[in-house]
């Protein structure tokens, strides 16, 4: 059986699927990274993405244009992120509660809105056609190279965008004035305030950026990954992204690697579930198992220093 | 009429915080152009509050502020900065993970196209550092630089934003004697260039040394303005506290008995590969106060961390009454009878969002006395808190007040109240009177002596040379992670002798130093 799994992992379509599966998690993880850097915990990623997934398909359908669909998802993402900001920063509610509220509202809210706007119940399968989905691109030259071409070419536009965004977020955080302010606000907001930085404004900005990423992530799910909207579509990706943010130590590149790890686990699950004699329950737990293992490894590495000291001490006694 | 002599006029300032504390009650505060003006007063007198209003961080409930002859409404620091006001806060306002240069330009970043021009930021930092003779390492991360340099970064931050009026809220509280001397040179230099400086400090000597005039506050009111040269230290403290203060401590000769704290061959190399503790050995006995003197950064901080298991040494042993401390949970250490007044009160001393009551019972809430079956006995807890607040003269509304909202000095009193009242056998007091007014300092010192005479062993670490010399029965000097000298009797010491050992110019023989182990 292990042999079977081994041969699967080394197939190009498996590696290809890792990137496809990683992209939405990565979008959400970047959303978490930016918000967390500004000291705001956006726990509402899951719910915001669900709203975005819905409006992405709806607008694409209304305008018969996938691009406008994606842009609308982004706008909706920003709207809900700012809504959380409004409750937390303006009305002083707890930001975690505001996030939870959005998450809870999303599952019922999307069904309601969908029905209200279209009369459809629960999913949009009837509304979408392949031309309303996010298109894939063949990268010239690259797609001629064996293996590499199969893995890297032919992804959806947004998959590439996700990985490019890692770099852009890094630039934003470490090379621009707004990034410096975001980091300062997140670390010591009194210090930032005392030099005249508008702390609340910066937090809104960070939330808005995280909203953009939720929009892209949500649109990716409904307009490419699942090809239509239903309420179970996000399936915990918003929460996995929070874990990816933490495991990546809050850095964009770190978050990318942890997202890839989750992507790998998910891809494996999809593959292995086809094999005879493997418990499907066990397999569906795999991505979450990987989350836990990742967390343990991370915690262990920070503990190492302390352990080394203790070991030295014992030696000396 | 614009009065050109005064740069700052604050008239009839009232400030009532949202929790009902009237921190300022009709304060008049006038500062002349180009002077160094001291603002003095007990902990909680309202000094920081008054200055926060001048810097736009708080808004006065009533009263008017006139800067450079123009009536202003300072709604935010941004507005204050635009009026040429800069402030160095009582607690540092720096972002630790950013570099010095990044902290300097935060909020006014130089840009090249879309990006921050980091090179320019470094240039700006270096230019200002040079112009004002405040040397800092522009590329170092703030987390890595010593407090003295942090203080300079804070001053430069104000200057680079064009401040002509500088507010310094207890800038010397965290500085060593040497750093203070250096800072004063720089302040005089600034004054000569036409800057106006408002200076808050509890150290009377410093005030006498550097300021031109002073305003004294008490209980949220101004007690008048004085020419520094016309007023004596005694008079100042009487005006502040309302009675005479005696800072020299009367103490009987110590009669030390058994060893309580035993430290042997402690070694520690930090993550920058600096040897912070080098075969350090000493003992503290029941009934004595052992002082630790030395320039900050010579191993004091590391030692204290090890004594409370906040850090683990590379080698060596620490025992309290024969019981091992290394690797022992803090709760167990406390059960052994060790109490700690930490240097960094905001991080290790208190939970700032908790109430006074929660903070003072945090080490004893599980005691029988405070529990009725599975529940707390709230009456007993309230009674304990009220007693401590009264005993230690914590200025607050009641025990429910959030500790973070107390004035700096009163936060320290809360820490001291808890640590002194838990029946300790060993007290580790790291800068116990930092940022505390003369009245409270007197109180804490007396209390320390009293406890030691009752048989508590005290390890006193202090950057205030006078304090260690005065308070300790015997004393060690730290230099480079080693003990450079041990003095059994502190009454024969003077500043100069100490200075030689502190700067590493002199060192006692190993036999002489070995005496501190009492073996
Ligand atoms: N943010 C706040 N909210 C409520 N009360 C406050 C706040 N800040 C200060 N206070 C109260 O106002 C009073 C004056 O405090 P302030 O910090 O101005 O004193 P201070 O003179 O600077 O004392 P210290 O020398 O100890 O720093 C204190 O009683 C304090 O508890
Ligand atoms: Mg103060």
């Amino acid at each position: 059986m292990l042999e079977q799994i081994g041969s699967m992992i080394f197939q190009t379509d498996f590696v290809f699927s890792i990137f496809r599966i990683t992209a939405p998690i990565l979008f959400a993880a970047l959303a978490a990274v930016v918000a967390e850097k500004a000291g705001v915990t956006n726990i509402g990623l899951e719910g915001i993405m669900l709203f975005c997934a819905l409006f992405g398909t709806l607008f694409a359908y209304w305008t018969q244009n996938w691009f406008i669909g994606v842009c609308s998802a982004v706008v909706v993402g920003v709207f809900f992120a700012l809504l959380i900001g409004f409750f937390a920063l303006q009305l002083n509610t707890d930001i975690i509660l505001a996030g939870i509220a959005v998450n809870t509202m999303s599952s019922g809210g999307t069904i309601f809105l969908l029905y209200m706007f279209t009369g459809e119940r629960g999913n949009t399968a009837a509304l979408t056609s392949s031309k309303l989905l996010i298109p894939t691109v063949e990268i010239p030259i690259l797609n001629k190279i064996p293996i590499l071409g199969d893995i890297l070419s032919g992804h959806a536009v947004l998959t590439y965008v996700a990985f490019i965004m890692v770099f852009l977020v890094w630039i934003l955080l470490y090379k621009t004035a707004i990034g410096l302010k975001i980091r300062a606000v997140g670390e010591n907001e009194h210090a930032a305030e005392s030099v005249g930085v508008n702390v609340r404004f910066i937090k809104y900005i960070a939330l808005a950026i995280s909203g953009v990423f939720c929009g892209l992530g949500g649109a990716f799910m409904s307009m490419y990954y699942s090809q239509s909207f239903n309420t179970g579509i996000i399936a915990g990706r918003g929460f996995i992204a929070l874990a990816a943010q933490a495991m990546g130590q809050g850095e964009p590149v770190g978050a990318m690697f942890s997202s890839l790890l989750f992507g790998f686990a998910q891809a494996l699950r999809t593959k292995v579930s086809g094999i005879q004699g493997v418990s499907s329950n066990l397999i569906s737990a795999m991505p979450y198992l990987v989350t836990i293992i990742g967390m343990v490894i991370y915690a262990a590495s920070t503990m190492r220093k302390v352990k080394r000291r203790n070991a030295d001490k014992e030696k000396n006694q | 009429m614009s009065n050109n002599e005064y740069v700052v006029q604050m008239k009839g300032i009232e400030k009532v915080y949202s929790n009902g504390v009237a921190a300022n009650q009709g304060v008049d505060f006038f500062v002349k152009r180009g002077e160094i003006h001291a603002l003095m007063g007990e902990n909680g007198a309202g000094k920081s509050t008054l200055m926060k209003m001048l810097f736009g961080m708080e808004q006065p409930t009533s009263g008017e502020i006139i800067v450079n002859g123009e009536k202003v409404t300072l709604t935010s620091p941004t507005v204050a900065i635009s009026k040429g006001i800069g402030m160095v806060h009582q607690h540092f306002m720096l972002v630790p993970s950013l570099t010095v240069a990044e902290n300097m330009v935060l909020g006014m970043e130089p840009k090249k196209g879309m990006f921050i021009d980091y090179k320019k930021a470094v240039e700006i930092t270096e230019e200002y550092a040079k112009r004002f003779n405040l040397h800092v390492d522009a590329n170092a991360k703030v987390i890595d630089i010593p407090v003295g340099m942090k203080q300079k970064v804070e001053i430069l931050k104000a200057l680079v934003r064009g401040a002509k009026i500088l507010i310094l809220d207890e800038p010397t509280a965290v500085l060593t004697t040497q750093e203070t001397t250096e800072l004063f040179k720089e302040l005089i230099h600034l004054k000569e260039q036409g800057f106006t400086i408002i200076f808050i400090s509890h150290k009377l000597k410093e005030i006498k040394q550097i300021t031109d005039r002073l305003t004294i506050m008490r209980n949220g009111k101004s007690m008048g303005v004085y020419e520094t040269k016309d007023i004596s230290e005694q008079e100042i403290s009487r005006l502040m506290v309302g009675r005479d203060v005696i800072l020299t401590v009367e103490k009987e000769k110590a009669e030390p008995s058994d060893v309580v704290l035993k430290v042997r061959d402690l070694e520690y190399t930090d993550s920058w590969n600096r040897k912070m503790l080098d075969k350090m050995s000493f003992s503290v006995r029941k009934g004595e106060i052992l002082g630790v003197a030395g320039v900050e950064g010579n191993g004091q901080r590391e030692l204290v961390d090890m004594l409370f298991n906040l850090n683990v040494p590379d080698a060596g042993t620490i025992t309290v009454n024969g019981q091992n401390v290394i690797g022992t949970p803090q709760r167990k250490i406390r059960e052994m009878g060790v109490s700690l007044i930490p240097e960094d009160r905001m991080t290790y001393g208190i939970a700032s969002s908790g109430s006074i009551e929660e903070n003072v019972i945090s080490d004893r809430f599980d005691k029988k006395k405070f529990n009725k079956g599975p529940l707390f006995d709230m009456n007993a807890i309230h009674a304990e808190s009220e007693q401590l607040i009264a005993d230690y003269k914590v200025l607050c509304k009641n025990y429910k007040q959030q500790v973070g909202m107390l004035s700096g000095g009163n936060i320290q009193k809360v820490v001291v109240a808890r640590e002194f009242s838990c029946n300790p056998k060993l007290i580790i007091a790291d800068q116990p009177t930092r940022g505390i007014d003369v009245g409270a300092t007197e109180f804490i010192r007396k209390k320390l002596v009293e406890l030691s005479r009752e048989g508590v062993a005290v390890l006193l670490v202090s950057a205030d040379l006078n304090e260690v010399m005065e308070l300790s029965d015997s004393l060690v000097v730290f230099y480079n992670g080693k003990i450079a000298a041990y003095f059994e009797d502190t009454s024969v010491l003077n500043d100069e002798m100490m200075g030689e050992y502190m700067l590493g110019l002199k060192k006692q023989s190993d036999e002489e130093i070995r005496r501190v182990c009492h073996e």
Side-chain angles (χ1 to χ4, degrees):
Chain A
M1 187 195 81
L2 278 179
E3 231 167 71
Q4 247 175 314
I5 297 176
S7 66
M8 279 173 178
I9 289 178
F10 293 110
Q11 276 165 10
T12 52
D13 69 328
F14 178 74
V15 185
F16 181 91
S17 74
I18 292 179
F19 287 107
R20 188 173 62 97
I21 294 169
T22 299
I25 300 176
L26 183 52
F27 277 127
L30 289 175
V33 165
V34 176
E36 200 65 48
K37 276 278 182 208
V40 283
T41 304
N42 187 357
I43 207 171
L45 300 175
E46 180 87 7
I48 299 177
M49 284 206 289
L50 192 61
F51 278 113
C52 297
L54 173 68
F55 281 102
T57 33
L58 285 185
F59 275 94
Y61 169 68
W62 286 328
T63 61
Q64 289 294 308
N65 181 325
W66 71 270
F67 186 72
I68 296 180
V70 171
C71 293
S72 313
V74 166
V75 172
V76 169
V78 171
F79 170 79
F80 278 102
L82 292 181
L83 189 69
I84 290 181
F86 178 74
F87 281 115
L89 306 174
Q90 222 83 32
L91 305 180
N92 282 328
T93 35
D94 189 296
I95 190 143
I96 302 290
L97 295 184
I100 292 176
V102 169
N103 287 340
T104 327
M105 188 168 74
S106 67
S107 45
T110 46
I111 297 183
F112 170 73
L113 290 171
L114 176 62
Y115 184 71
M116 189 176 91
F117 285 128
T118 67
E120 294 288 330
R121 290 181 192 272
N123 73 71
T124 61
L127 306 177
T128 37
S129 62
S130 64
K131 101 176 194 319
L132 297 181
L133 297 178
I134 296 165
T136 57
V137 278
E138 292 292 329
I139 301 175
I141 301 173
L142 186 68
N143 65 0
K144 298 282 181 312
I145 304 173
I147 302 178
L148 215 54
D150 292 337
I151 294 173
L152 295 179
S153 183
H155 283 287
V157 184
L158 283 195
T159 308
Y160 298 110
V161 172
F163 286 90
I164 293 168
M165 279 299 170
V166 175
F167 178 65
L168 292 185
V169 167
W170 183 83
I171 297 262
L172 172 87
L173 287 175
Y174 290 99
K175 296 288 159 195
T176 69
I178 192 86
L180 184 70
K181 290 191 184 105
I182 287 177
R183 287 184 293 144
V185 165
E187 204 175 325
N188 184 350
E189 62 177 86
H190 296 296
E193 188 190 356
S194 76
V195 290
V197 173
N198 188 340
V199 171
R200 192 186 284 172
F201 177 70
I202 295 296
K203 287 185 171 178
Y204 271 124
I205 296 263
L207 275 172
I209 295 172
S210 88
V212 170
F213 289 128
C214 288
L216 294 173
F220 186 93
M221 287 312 294
S222 64
M223 297 172 65
Y224 173 71
Y225 194 95
S226 299
Q227 317 224 332
S228 70
F229 172 86
N230 67 67
T231 51
I233 198 174
I234 306 299
R237 285 181 177 76
F239 295 112
I240 290 180
L242 290 174
Q245 185 275 140
M247 245 170 80
Q249 309 208 6
E251 299 298 327
V253 177
M256 178 182 79
F257 284 118
S258 13
S259 299
L260 276 167
L261 181 68
F262 293 127
F264 173 76
Q266 293 259 24
L268 201 60
R269 166 174 108 177
T270 324
K271 274 281 171 192
V272 174
S273 58
I275 302 176
Q276 290 279 309
V278 183
S279 154
S280 64
N281 291 332
L282 189 71
I283 292 162
S284 47
M286 205 148 55
Y288 308 100
L289 212 62
V290 169
T291 313
I292 293 172
I293 293 170
M295 286 296 198
V296 170
I297 292 171
Y298 168 61
S301 72
T302 51
M303 290 284 288
R304 211 167 36 216
K305 197 175 154 196
V306 179
K307 281 217 190 91
R308 184 173 57 81
R309 286 249 166 76
N310 285 338
D312 286 354
K313 207 181 66 206
E314 270 159 31
K315 226 173 20 214
N316 288 319
Q317 270 167 3
Chain B
M1 185 204 74
S2 87
N3 190 334
N4 207 17
E5 191 187 6
Y6 292 109
V7 275
V8 172
Q9 294 165 275
M10 299 178 82
K11 293 182 189 166
I13 301 289
E14 308 258 347
K15 173 69 189 179
V16 182
Y17 279 111
S18 52
N19 62 356
V21 174
N24 282 182
Q25 302 160 27
V27 179
D28 289 327
F29 182 62
F30 292 74
V31 183
K32 286 183 187 166
R33 191 177 305 282
E35 72 170 344
I36 301 185
H37 191 116
L39 184 57
M40 308 202 59
E42 282 183 288
N43 296 128
K47 307 176 295 290
S48 297
T49 302
L50 188 68
M51 290 303 103
K52 281 182 194 159
M53 286 187 281
L54 184 54
F55 191 57
M57 295 193 93
E58 298 283 353
Q59 271 62 54
T61 314
S62 67
E64 62 174 4
I65 302 176
I66 296 165
V67 177
N68 288 318
E70 171 201 359
K71 187 165 184 296
V72 292
T73 317
L74 303 167
T75 48
S76 74
T78 319
V79 180
I81 291 167
S82 74
K83 303 284 174 204
I85 300 169
M87 179 157 176
V88 174
H89 296 266
Q90 188 165 1
H91 302 115
F92 285 121
M93 290 286 186
L94 296 167
V95 186
S97 76
L98 302 187
T99 65
V100 168
E102 284 171 328
N103 268 284
M104 280 285 288
V105 300
L106 181 61
M108 44 170 284
E109 300 84 2
K111 295 199 187 94
K112 204 158 60 184
M114 265 170 55
F115 303 118
I116 288 194
D117 189 348
Y118 183 71
K119 236 171 85 195
K120 189 81 193 290
V122 172
E123 268 170 39
I124 294 174
T125 309
E126 279 166 357
E127 181 202 320
Y128 271 78
K130 204 159 152 214
R131 166 141 44 113
F132 293 104
N133 215 5
L134 292 157
H135 294 291
V136 295
D137 180 354
N139 286 307
K141 280 197 175 156
V142 164
I143 196 169
D144 297 335
I145 65 177
V147 270
M149 194 184 284
K150 284 186 192 158
Q151 198 65 269
K152 291 182 196 171
V153 176
E154 289 281 27
I155 297 173
L156 285 172
K157 258 171 64 189
L159 293 172
V160 80
R161 288 173 175 74
K164 290 301 230 169
I165 304 162
L166 270 180
I167 306 166
L168 306 178
D169 194 351
E170 299 196 35
T172 58
V174 292
L175 299 187
T176 61
T177 328
Q178 289 86 338
E179 285 168 328
T180 304
T181 318
E182 201 183 324
L183 175 72
F184 282 2
K185 258 195 245 148
E186 285 141 10
L187 292 185
I188 303 236
H189 185 66
L190 283 172
K191 177 180 142 178
E192 280 161 0
Q193 293 181 51
F195 287 84
T196 306
I197 295 164
I198 302 172
F199 186 87
I200 302 182
S201 170
H202 290 293
K203 300 182 185 167
L204 298 172
K205 283 209 181 66
E206 294 180 353
I207 299 287
K208 285 293 282 180
Q209 188 186 338
I210 193 169
T211 65
D212 301 303
R213 297 195 313 145
L214 54 93
T215 298
I216 296 176
M217 286 184 72
R218 191 157 104 208
N219 292 334
K221 298 196 183 76
S222 167
M223 302 297 290
V225 189
Y226 303 85
E227 294 283 329
T228 306
K229 60 180 190 307
D230 299 339
I231 188 168
S232 73
E233 286 180 33
Q234 280 301 316
E235 277 172 280
I236 298 176
S237 54
R238 195 174 324 124
L239 280 163
M240 273 168 51
V241 188
R243 64 183 164 85
D244 281 313
V245 178
I246 310 138
L247 277 182
T248 48
V249 195
E250 293 289 322
K251 61 172 195 271
E252 302 154 35
K253 205 168 162 7
E255 281 166 14
S257 50
D258 314 339
V259 166
V260 176
L261 173 67
K262 189 166 154 188
V263 173
R264 290 295 178 272
D265 300 317
L266 214 55
E267 289 197 55
Y268 179 65
T269 307
D270 71 9
S271 36
W272 290 277
N273 229 355
R274 291 177 302 200
K275 189 124 196 146
M276 295 313 292
L277 293 174
D278 193 357
K279 291 233 169 266
M280 167 97 44
S281 297
F282 65 90
S283 296
V284 187
R285 293 168 296 176
K286 206 165 149 39
E288 76 169 342
I289 303 179
L290 178 69
V292 174
V295 177
E296 220 161 310
N298 277 282
Q300 296 95 321
R301 164 124 147 252
E302 287 73 14
L303 173 69
V304 172
D305 283 355
M306 313 267 161
L307 292 180
F308 222 69
N309 192 31
L310 298 171
N311 198 342
V312 186
D314 299 333
T317 58
I318 303 171
T319 56
V320 172
N321 288 326
Q323 287 171 283
N324 171 43
V325 165
I326 298 170
T328 309
Q330 278 79 19
R331 194 186 165 82
K332 287 262 168 55
I333 298 180
R334 283 189 179 276
E335 276 165 17
M336 292 176 200
V338 184
S339 75
L340 170 73
I341 301 175
E343 176 195 24
D344 181 355
R345 60 176 169 243
M346 301 309 277
T347 313
Y348 294 110
I350 51 149
S352 67
S353 60
S355 68
I356 299 180
E357 177 170 84
E358 286 163 349
N359 273 280
V360 292
I361 67 152
S362 58
D363 68 331
R364 61 196 69 162
F365 58 87
D366 56 342
K367 296 257 154 36
K368 229 191 175 118
K369 191 177 155 195
F370 302 117
N371 288 279
K372 252 197 276 185
L375 301 177
F376 278 144
D377 180 351
M378 287 321 274
N379 289 331
I381 291 175
H382 295 334
E384 172 93 353
S385 317
E386 267 165 359
Q387 187 64 46
L388 288 175
I389 287 169
D391 285 354
Y392 290 83
K393 302 188 181 68
V394 181
L395 186 69
C396 60
K397 258 183 86 182
N398 55 36
Y399 52 74
K400 286 204 204 82
Q401 196 173 344
Q402 206 182 324
V403 169
M405 289 191 176
L406 296 177
S407 77
N410 280 298
I411 293 175
Q412 182 76 348
K413 288 190 204 168
V414 172
V415 176
V416 170
R418 183 184 62 218
E419 300 300 323
F420 280 7
S421 63
C422 58
N423 260 323
K425 298 198 175 70
L426 169 69
I427 297 176
I428 301 160
D430 195 359
Q431 325 290 352
T433 61
R434 170 172 289 175
I436 285 205
D437 66 52
V438 278
T441 301
E442 178 193 27
F443 176 79
I444 289 179
R445 290 185 181 174
K446 264 204 193 125
K447 198 82 194 169
L448 260 182
V449 171
E450 198 180 295
L451 285 168
S452 86
R453 294 308 98 116
E454 284 167 10
V456 178
V458 178
L459 182 72
L460 170 73
V461 183
S462 177
D464 181 342
L465 201 49
N466 287 323
E467 179 165 278
V468 254
M469 295 206 309
E470 191 125 343
L471 225 50
S472 316
D473 299 306
S474 45
L475 182 153
V476 287
V477 181
F478 276 22
Y479 179 71
N480 249 345
K482 288 191 189 129
I483 294 176
Y486 169 58
F487 300 104
E488 196 144 23
D489 180 7
T490 49
S491 59
V492 299
L493 293 173
N494 61 41
D495 287 22
E496 232 163 277
M497 275 168 74
M498 295 285 292
E500 287 176 333
Y501 288 106
M502 281 166 64
L503 297 174
L505 304 174
K506 261 170 97 177
K507 188 178 185 305
Q508 285 181 348
S509 71
D510 288 348
E511 289 77 65
E512 277 177 293
I513 294 171
R514 201 71 200 169
R515 288 176 307 146
V516 70
C517 292
H518 307 294
E519 283 174 331

